[in-house]
Amino acid sequence: ELAELKAFTNQLEKDGLIDKKKGYKIEIRNKKLIINGKEQPKEVNEKYQKYLDKEDFSISSDGEGTASV
């Protein structure tokens, strides 16, 4: 599960949706992706659907490599 979460955040960064150096907050609520308080468009939700089908959760990072789930 940790490896999947890492792959998820790596892909988000690759797509320019988060910057791991600056910190971020990712939330999954009701199968919707919310990044830094902004609900993502339908296309983004569809791309990351496999991650959104899980229970609601949130993860945040302070940009210093410290993350909390």
Side-chain angles (χ1 to χ4, degrees):
E1 193 171 299
L2 187 58
E4 188 174 290
L5 195 56
K6 188 170 184 145
F8 178 44
T9 56
N10 286 344
Q11 188 63 47
L12 289 171
E13 183 171 50
K14 184 177 175 185
D15 289 345
L17 296 170
I18 63 171
D19 183 343
K20 290 183 177 181
K21 294 179 187 94
K22 292 184 179 177
Y24 56 85
K25 181 174 183 184
I26 301 165
E27 298 173 85
I28 306 298
R29 280 194 305 220
N30 301 320
K31 301 190 187 303
K32 292 190 166 110
L33 177 61
I34 301 159
I35 300 174
N36 298 326
K38 294 180 186 165
E39 192 170 311
Q40 298 303 297
K42 182 179 176 185
E43 301 79 32
V44 174
N45 280 306
E46 288 172 357
K47 178 172 184 173
Y48 292 99
Q49 191 62 50
K50 70 178 181 178
Y51 301 107
L52 307 182
D53 285 338
K54 305 191 181 317
E55 290 180 22
D56 290 1
F57 73 90
S58 69
I59 181 169
S60 58
S61 171
D62 61 8
E64 309 259 328
T66 305
S68 61
V69 178

